[in-house]
Each structure stands twice: as C-alpha cells, then as structure tokens.
Amino acid sequence: MSIQTVICHLSALTFAVATLGAASVAQAEPVLQARCSNDSLSIEQARTRLEWARACGVPNFVAPPINTGLPSANGAGDLIDYIETIDFWGLNAYSGISNGNQINDTFVRNQYFNGPTSQSIVNGFKKWTRTNDKHLPRPAYPTFGNTHDINTAKALFPHPTLADCRLYSDTNGQQPIPVGSTFFVNGYCVASCYTPDQKVLFPDGEKPILDAMNELAPKMMTLSTGSTLESPELVRNEVYSYTRELHDGTHVIFVLKTASGGELRVTDKHPVIDGRGKVVEARSLKVGNNLIRPDGSFDPIVSVEKTLHRGKVYNIRPVTSDRVSNVLVAQGYLVGSSRYQNEDVDYMNRVILGRAIPKIVLPGVRP
C-alpha cells in the first residue's frame, strides 16, 4: 500500500468519524467520564502512559514512515512519524484514531502546547518531544476497551507497572486478555487535582470533595454566566462529572495562606482566579497577590508553602460549558473547574471576570 493511499484512507476515515453525529457523541461523553473516573491517573502517571502507548505502538506501524517535511528544532532532520493503523475504528492501536493515527503527533499533542519539536531516536524509532515549559497542565491519556464503542466496551487496562504491552481486564495486572484479542482506544482522559479533604461549595454548604463524590451530590455552586469582578453571583449548577485517580501518587501541593486567616490548598497547576479576574496556575501566585472570595472581596496572600501529598487527587466539573460558570468555590475562594485544564486550557492567564458582563473570555483586557 503506498503512502498516498494510506493518507487518502485516513482522510476519509477522519471525515467519516467526524460525521457520526452529535447524538452518538452526547451518548458516549458521560460514559467516558465514568470510565475516566475508574481509570484516573496523576499528571506524571498520565505522561508515563503516553510514553508506554507510543513505545508499544511504533514497532507495529503499518505504512512507510511519514516525512512531514518539517525540520526538527534540534537539527535532527525532518520530523518523521508513523501510522499505527488504517482500521476504521483503530483496531489494536495504542494511540487510537486521533490525529490521523500518527503516533508521534498524538504523543506530543496530548501533553504539550504547540511549539518547537525536537526529535531523537529511541529503540530504533524517531520520537518527538518539546521543552518542559510547553507541558500542558493536565495531559490527556488513552483509556482502552475490548470494542470500539465505549457504550458497550469492557474496560481494559495496562499493567500497573507498564511492564509489557499487554492489556488486562483488571487494574492489578492479574488477568491479561488472551494473546490475539482485539482492543481499542475508547477515548482520552485527563489528570485530576484536588486532595480528598479539600472542601468545595455545594447548595447545602461546603463539603470535602471525596464525600461529595461518594454520595454523588448532583448539584454544585458556581458563578452565574453574568457575573463580573465587582458583582459575582453564585447559582446552583448541575454536576457533570467527578473524577479521581485509580492509584495513589505523589503530588505537589501549594498552600496559600491569606490575611484573613483563610487557606487554599490545591495542586500546583490548579486554576485559581486572582485579583485581576485572571485564571492562573496556583504555583504562579505570590505573597501580595489577591485571592477572591465569593462576595467579590479580595484576600491578600501572606504566605506560600509548597508541600507533597501522597494519595489520590480528585476533580469536579459542572455541566455548563461557558467559562464564567466554570468558576466554583473551594475553601472559600474562587477557582476554576477542570475545564480550564483541558478544553479551555488556552484561556489560562486570561481575564474571565471582567468589569463588564463577560460572555466570553476577553483576551484583549489588560490587568
């Protein structure tokens, strides 16, 4: 099969998948969220799974390597990629059918912002990377099933130590699927970021996120779409999903203490709303910066401590998709939902609470 034939096939495949219809996507999305809750990884574990998926996929490429014609940032020649499958549904592909089944492209897109791409040779195959400052706050990683349809698929998992390229029907790596069995990438999940004791505001008051998840609290409190920096308004919002990690991990936690005696404890890359109305990563905040309370008042940060948490971390997300209503209250301060760490990651460091009604992010507003 010529490379031109392969590319034409993949173009048709991409178009066909894109036109399957909104109803199928809508049906699968809640199922994917549930799957991600049962296959939840930390940021480092997510990156490690991406490494594993790439390493397991490249030896099985099905067409001549693709010369992209794009020069590598480190002078290692043009960027070379590999096609893992030409099957319509991504049969036995570790990276799935995203990004035209191209392994290196999928590998970098799911963990880096756009930027210069370097190339090296690992185990005889070209591998793409970008610099650490281009890392996404929450990388996306593949989750697997025994059929292409996540609505009917039985979940499959890599070995917990990623000791081999086999998939298992249990999370402990005790029940490998038979050699020759089929598997598919059912979707991509993102990493989590609240410790279990962190309190989030719900209609009946604050409660630890782990308690809320265990009782499947159906509603949460978020800002209304029309909230502004001077006039924030809390409203009830439907919970779209809870997520948690499958395995314990070690996480960097920032403890932000304020002049009023308040304290916000979140992972280093958790989105926080600062006194300018910007969504920023917790690790970027410094003494003297302001956190915002639900009533719009400012609370200056008086100390910033960095510590480690060993265990699982959790996340929550409302059903709404606009950016202002994806601001919630954690430990008495305005923070962003998990949406800012995946779909809306490009809006980090932008104003979302303006001094006028912010129906969309206002990229031209200066602090």
Side-chain angles (χ1 to χ4, degrees):
M1 181 180 294
S2 70
I3 188 63
Q4 289 82 6
T5 302
V6 170
I7 291 173
C8 288
H9 179 97
L10 292 175
S11 297
L13 184 154
T14 301
F15 175 78
V17 171
T19 57
L20 285 178
S24 297
V25 175
Q27 181 183 12
E29 184 68 15
V31 179
L32 177 60
Q33 290 291 334
R35 169 73 67 77
C36 292
S37 293
N38 291 321
D39 188 20
S40 187
L41 303 179
S42 69
I43 292 169
E44 291 308 315
Q45 289 169 334
R47 292 192 182 119
T48 302
R49 183 174 292 187
L50 287 168
E51 292 277 359
W52 170 85
R54 184 202 157 275
C56 290
V58 287
N60 303 312
F61 68 91
V62 298
I66 299 172
N67 187 330
T68 66
L70 301 172
S72 59
N74 59 336
D78 288 348
L79 294 173
I80 303 297
D81 211 342
Y82 308 93
I83 294 175
E84 188 171 7
T85 182
I86 57 171
D87 179 74
F88 185 89
W89 297 111
L91 173 68
N92 293 353
Y94 292 90
S95 296
I97 59 173
S98 62
N99 302 322
N101 307 322
Q102 296 175 27
I103 298 172
N104 279 326
D105 188 39
T106 301
F107 176 74
V108 295
R109 281 176 181 266
N110 283 298
Q111 61 179 319
Y112 296 103
F113 290 108
N114 289 334
T117 304
S118 297
Q119 182 169 259
S120 60
I121 298 177
V122 177
N123 296 327
F125 298 97
K126 301 296 179 74
K127 176 184 176 181
W128 299 359
T129 55
R130 292 175 182 152
T131 54
N132 287 341
D133 64 315
K134 294 295 184 180
H135 269 139
L136 292 173
R138 295 174 70 211
Y141 58 91
T143 187
F144 299 89
N146 65 342
T147 70
H148 66 82
D149 185 356
I150 193 172
N151 295 290
T152 59
K154 179 180 178 181
L156 301 174
F157 307 90
H159 192 278
T161 66
L162 303 179
D164 53 43
C165 290
R166 300 188 69 177
L167 289 164
Y168 297 75
S169 57
D170 68 309
T171 60
N172 297 320
Q174 299 297 312
Q175 301 172 36
I177 62 174
V179 174
S181 297
T182 60
F183 63 86
F184 301 81
V185 172
N186 287 150
Y188 273 75
C189 306
V190 292
S192 308
C193 64
Y194 283 109
T195 57
D197 58 340
Q198 302 311 298
K199 292 183 178 180
V200 175
L201 186 62
F202 294 86
D204 56 348
E206 285 188 326
K207 63 180 69 176
I209 190 169
L210 178 56
D211 292 352
M213 187 184 77
N214 287 338
E215 66 185 57
L216 292 178
K219 293 183 182 293
M220 61 190 296
M221 301 300 291
T222 69
L223 289 186
S224 68
T225 303
S227 290
T228 65
L229 194 58
E230 296 93 341
S231 303
E233 177 191 22
L234 291 177
V235 295
R236 294 183 180 220
N237 205 336
E238 299 285 339
V239 173
Y240 179 70
S241 66
Y242 294 91
T243 55
R244 66 169 176 80
E245 291 178 302
L246 186 62
H247 303 291
D248 289 351
T250 301
H251 308 274
V252 176
I253 302 295
F254 273 71
V255 183
L256 308 172
K257 296 184 178 180
T258 62
S260 71
E263 180 179 289
L264 178 63
R265 296 170 54 91
V266 288
T267 53
D268 55 344
K269 297 182 181 180
H270 192 88
V272 178
I273 315 303
D274 71 4
R276 301 166 296 177
K278 280 189 173 184
V279 189
V280 299
E281 292 182 346
R283 63 180 179 175
S284 72
L285 290 166
K286 297 177 172 51
V287 171
N289 292 156
N290 286 310
L291 300 183
I292 305 178
R293 292 194 172 278
D295 62 2
S297 61
F298 292 172
D299 201 355
I301 297 171
V302 296
S303 73
V304 178
E305 300 174 10
K306 189 164 110 176
T307 186
L308 295 177
H309 165 72
R310 176 67 185 172
K312 296 179 178 64
V313 289
Y314 302 79
N315 236 319
I316 187 173
R317 174 176 166 176
V319 71
T320 49
S321 59
D322 70 273
R323 294 167 194 109
V324 176
S325 69
N326 268 265
V327 174
L328 54 131
V329 181
Q331 298 156 270
Y333 300 101
L334 299 183
V335 301
S337 79
S338 62
R339 188 175 181 90
Y340 284 102
Q341 295 169 295
N342 42 88
E343 290 99 326
D344 286 340
V345 69
D346 290 342
Y347 292 91
M348 293 294 287
N349 296 312
R350 292 192 183 188
V351 172
I352 63 131
L353 277 180
R355 298 185 180 276
I357 297 177
K359 293 184 178 179
I360 59 171
V361 170
L362 307 175
V365 174
R366 295 182 177 275

